Amino acid sequence: MQTRIFALVVLAGLLPTPVSVPADVTVPNLFGDHMVLQRDLPVPVWGTARAGESVTVTLGDQTVSAMTDDKGRWKVTLGPLSAGGPLEMTIAGENTITIRDVLVGEVWVGSGQSNMGWPVSRAKDGEQEAEARFPKIRLLHVDRIVADEPQHEVGGHWKLCSPQTVGNFSAVAYFFGRELHRHLKVPVGIINSSRGGTPAEAWTAKTALEGNPLYQPIFDRWEQTINDYVAKERAASTTKTDGGPAGNGNNQASKRPSSQTATQYSDDPRESPHRPGALYNGMIHPLMPYAIRGVIWYQGESNAPRAYQYRELMPTLIRTWREQWGQGDFPFLMVQLANFQSRQKEPYTSDWAELREAQSRTLALPRTGMAVAIDIGDPKDIHPANKQDVARRLALAARAIAYGEKIPYSGPLYDSMKAEGGGIRLRFSHTNGGLEAKGGELKGFGIAGRDRKFVDAKAVVDGDTVVVSSEQVAEPVAVRYAWADAPLCNLYNGAGLPASPFRTDDWPGITDNER
C-alpha cells in the first residue's frame, strides 16, 4: 500500500526567482537517469512548476506531494530508503517526468583543486584502471561554473562507470568510491566538483567570509585587482575611441555574465575562479540539499603561502557547507598535502609543513578525518600518480567515521611531550599496535633548545612513544617531525599508516603574517 503525504512547502532561496513562472514541472540535473540516492536518510527532491500547482513524487512504495509557492518552487522529502534498485521515479504535475534506473546506496561529493580533479587515465596504471566496468558505481562530473551569486542548477549528468566514462573522471573520487562499493556491497554515487589551482576561499560561501578581519585582505586584494583591470580596460577603450585601433568605444567593464563555464573564462578578474565564493556559488550551492553521506576534499596547495590563515579558513568552509546543506555534521574527510619539491638541508621551516599543520588542526571539528600522504607523493610532480593509496586511506577514514567500523584509520598523531633525561619523549594517538620505523632507524626528527635553532636529532621507538635527543642540544624544549616540503621520514603505526608531520612548539611560522 502506498504511503501518501501531502505538504505545502514554501522555500525562500531554494530556487531562483523565474522571470516567467514555468508551466511544466522541472527538476535540476541532479535528478536524472542512473542517479544514486542516499540510503537510510531523508531524501529531498525539488524543482519548479506553475505557481500553486500540486506536484507528486513517487518512488517505490512512497508517494509525496507538495504545492508550489508563489514563485513556482516546490520541494518534497522522501523517507529513508534501503539500498537497492533499479527503481523508477515519477514527478507529476501538469506534465510527468520519469527518471529510470535509479539506485539507492552511498553518495559522496569529491571537491578541491587539481589533485582531486586529476583523472583516472593519468593516474598510476591509468590505462588499465580506465577499463573499469562497475555498473553500480555512478559518476557525476559537475561542470566548472564561476558565479557571482549562488546558482541552483548543475551542468552534468549521471553516468554509469564504464571504459567510456571513467577515464576522465576524478581518480581519487573514483578509487574511493570503488573501495566503498567493494567493501559495503551497495551502489555508490560519486559527485566530482573540483577545479585546479583554486584556493579554499573560492569554495567558501562569501557571506561566511565577509565581516571577518582575518579574511579582509583577500577581499582587498581582489578589489584592487579588479579596479586595476577596469582602469586598464577603460584606458584601452579610450585609446580606440580617440583614434586608436578600430573599436566601438563602449566600456564593457560591467557587462559580464553572472556565471560562466570554464570554456568562457578569460583574464577578467571578475570572472576568475579564484574569487571568494565564486566556486561555492557555481559548483557547490547547486548540489544542496541533495542527500549525501559525506565529502572528500583534496586541496591546500594554493593556500600554502597563507597557511596560518587556513587554520581558520578550512573550518569555516566545513561549518558553512554543513549549515547550508542542512544535513547536520556529515563526515568531511581531507587529504593532507603530499611530499613535494626537493629536500631541504635544514628541513625545519616550510609553508607546506605549516599548511599540513593547519589541516591537522581541522580535525578538532566533529566527524572529520584525514588521509596522510607524506609518503606517497612525488617530489618532482605536484600531481603524484599514486591516487589509489590516497583513496584507500580516505576509505579507511570513511569506514570508521561514516560507517562506525572499529578499524585503524589514521596514522600516529602527536599528542604530548615531556622533557626527560636530556631528551624529549613524545606520545601519540592512533598507535594501533605500536610504533615502528619503516626501513630502518627513525628519520625526520629535529630538536631545539630555547634558542629555537633546530638540528637533526636521534629518535628511537619505545613502545607507543618516541624518544628524541641530540648531543648538540643539552636542554631541549621542542621537536619537529617531517617539517619540510618533501621530508625524509618513516614513522608508522602498527597498521602500516604513516605519522602526520607535526611540531611541539607554537613559535611564529613563516606564514604567520601572510593574509
Side-chain angles (χ1 to χ4, degrees), residues 61-255:
D61 64 355
Q62 293 194 55
T63 295
V64 187
S65 297
M67 198 78 72
T68 60
D69 65 11
D70 59 0
K71 295 183 175 64
R73 303 170 298 191
W74 60 269
K75 175 188 170 188
V76 302
T77 301
L78 297 170
L81 305 164
S82 298
L87 303 172
E88 188 171 278
M89 175 185 285
T90 61
I91 303 167
E94 292 185 9
N95 61 301
T96 299
I97 299 171
T98 300
I99 300 174
R100 298 177 174 85
D101 189 28
V102 178
L103 299 182
V104 180
E106 293 298 311
V107 181
W108 287 79
V109 173
S111 189
Q113 57 183 105
S114 56
N115 268 306
M116 179 57 77
W118 204 249
V120 170
S121 61
R122 300 179 68 180
K124 184 179 71 172
D125 303 324
E127 185 174 342
Q128 176 183 343
E129 296 283 18
E131 290 298 314
R133 289 177 174 84
F134 290 96
K136 291 189 178 181
I137 296 178
R138 308 294 172 84
L139 312 172
L140 192 156
H141 179 86
V142 175
D143 286 351
R144 295 167 181 172
I145 301 294
V146 175
D148 296 325
E149 301 296 333
Q151 302 298 296
H152 302 272
E153 177 62 283
V154 298
H157 300 274
W158 287 101
K159 298 178 181 180
L160 277 66
C161 173
S162 72
Q164 290 72 44
T165 61
V166 75
N168 292 323
F169 198 76
S170 161
V172 168
Y174 161 66
F175 294 139
F176 171 81
R178 185 177 67 182
E179 289 286 320
L180 294 185
H181 178 57
R182 287 171 167 170
H183 181 76
L184 300 173
K185 304 187 186 309
V186 298
V188 173
I190 299 293
I191 301 172
N192 170 35
S193 184
S194 57
R195 183 158 184 173
T198 51
E201 59 265 25
W203 296 98
T204 309
K206 189 176 178 182
T207 53
L209 303 175
E210 292 174 323
N212 188 326
L214 181 64
Y215 309 128
Q216 189 57 45
I218 298 175
F219 290 103
D220 292 343
R221 282 194 298 273
W222 277 106
E223 182 178 6
Q224 186 62 53
T225 298
I226 291 170
N227 288 342
D228 291 347
Y229 180 86
V230 171
K232 183 178 179 180
E233 191 178 52
R234 286 173 176 164
S237 177
T238 301
T239 299
K240 292 178 182 179
T241 305
D242 291 344
N248 60 20
N250 294 328
N251 177 22
Q252 300 294 320
S254 62
K255 298 179 180 180

Side-chain angles (χ1 to χ4, degrees), residues 232-315:
K232 183 178 179 180
E233 191 178 52
R234 286 173 176 164
S237 177
T238 301
T239 299
K240 292 178 182 179
T241 305
D242 291 344
N248 60 20
N250 294 328
N251 177 22
Q252 300 294 320
S254 62
K255 298 179 180 180
R256 57 192 175 86
S258 61
S259 66
Q260 56 277 334
T261 66
T263 57
Q264 296 170 314
Y265 174 58
S266 70
D267 61 351
D268 187 335
R270 293 162 302 178
E271 298 176 3
S272 171
H274 299 170
R275 288 181 299 123
L279 297 181
Y280 171 85
N281 289 337
M283 298 178 66
I284 298 300
H285 188 270
L287 303 178
M288 301 172 178
Y290 197 82
I292 63 172
R293 180 65 69 189
V295 170
I296 55 173
W297 174 263
Y298 196 159
Q299 190 276 338
E301 298 92 338
S302 291
N303 287 91
R306 295 178 281 122
Y308 267 60
Q309 185 185 65
Y310 201 82
R311 293 179 173 193
E312 300 297 331
L313 180 56
M314 196 60 222

Side-chain angles (χ1 to χ4, degrees), residues 166-504:
V166 75
N168 292 323
F169 198 76
S170 161
V172 168
Y174 161 66
F175 294 139
F176 171 81
R178 185 177 67 182
E179 289 286 320
L180 294 185
H181 178 57
R182 287 171 167 170
H183 181 76
L184 300 173
K185 304 187 186 309
V186 298
V188 173
I190 299 293
I191 301 172
N192 170 35
S193 184
S194 57
R195 183 158 184 173
T198 51
E201 59 265 25
W203 296 98
T204 309
K206 189 176 178 182
T207 53
L209 303 175
E210 292 174 323
N212 188 326
L214 181 64
Y215 309 128
Q216 189 57 45
I218 298 175
F219 290 103
D220 292 343
R221 282 194 298 273
W222 277 106
E223 182 178 6
Q224 186 62 53
T225 298
I226 291 170
N227 288 342
D228 291 347
Y229 180 86
V230 171
K232 183 178 179 180
E233 191 178 52
R234 286 173 176 164
S237 177
T238 301
T239 299
K240 292 178 182 179
T241 305
D242 291 344
N248 60 20
N250 294 328
N251 177 22
Q252 300 294 320
S254 62
K255 298 179 180 180
R256 57 192 175 86
S258 61
S259 66
Q260 56 277 334
T261 66
T263 57
Q264 296 170 314
Y265 174 58
S266 70
D267 61 351
D268 187 335
R270 293 162 302 178
E271 298 176 3
S272 171
H274 299 170
R275 288 181 299 123
L279 297 181
Y280 171 85
N281 289 337
M283 298 178 66
I284 298 300
H285 188 270
L287 303 178
M288 301 172 178
Y290 197 82
I292 63 172
R293 180 65 69 189
V295 170
I296 55 173
W297 174 263
Y298 196 159
Q299 190 276 338
E301 298 92 338
S302 291
N303 287 91
R306 295 178 281 122
Y308 267 60
Q309 185 185 65
Y310 201 82
R311 293 179 173 193
E312 300 297 331
L313 180 56
M314 196 60 222
T316 297
L317 181 151
I318 295 171
R319 283 192 292 263
T320 303
W321 284 25
R322 287 172 167 174
E323 290 167 3
Q324 296 300 316
W325 225 292
Q327 199 183 289
D329 289 343
F330 55 73
F332 198 105
L333 314 177
M334 304 161 286
V335 181
Q336 192 180 57
L337 291 190
N339 47 311
F340 174 60
Q341 299 189 26
S342 59
R343 293 194 173 98
Q344 300 140 283
K345 292 183 179 179
E346 296 182 359
Y348 305 114
T349 59
S350 162
D351 59 355
W352 274 50
E354 291 177 13
L355 196 286
R356 294 185 192 110
E357 178 184 53
Q359 292 173 316
S360 296
R361 291 167 66 101
T362 302
L363 296 176
L365 293 181
R367 307 198 78 195
T368 54
M370 184 176 70
V372 175
I374 198 66
D375 60 332
I376 51 177
D378 184 342
K380 296 181 180 180
D381 193 343
I382 200 170
H383 303 118
N386 183 1
K387 297 295 192 264
Q388 290 89 335
D389 282 330
V390 171
R392 289 188 191 103
R393 292 172 183 178
L394 284 170
L396 288 175
R399 288 169 57 188
I401 295 169
Y403 304 111
E405 293 188 42
K406 304 300 182 182
I407 59 171
Y409 68 92
S410 171
L413 298 177
Y414 167 70
D415 180 70
S416 63
M417 61 159 279
K418 180 180 180 181
E420 184 178 289
I424 291 178
R425 184 179 294 274
L426 305 171
R427 296 190 181 277
F428 300 84
S429 60
H430 296 281
T431 55
N432 296 113
L435 301 173
E436 65 174 88
K438 192 172 183 178
E441 64 182 28
L442 272 181
K443 300 173 183 177
F445 286 87
I447 197 166
R450 297 188 184 281
D451 60 2
R452 302 187 179 186
K453 294 180 180 179
F454 283 90
V455 299
D456 289 341
K458 177 183 178 182
V460 295
V461 172
D462 184 11
D464 285 348
T465 69
V466 172
V467 179
V468 186
S469 62
S470 171
E471 294 180 354
Q472 301 178 57
V473 182
E475 297 182 6
V477 298
V479 169
R480 293 183 178 183
Y481 170 72
W483 203 259
D485 296 347
L488 183 62
C489 54
N490 62 344
L491 178 63
Y492 287 73
N493 65 13
L497 295 171
S500 173
F502 67 89
R503 58 174 176 162
T504 66

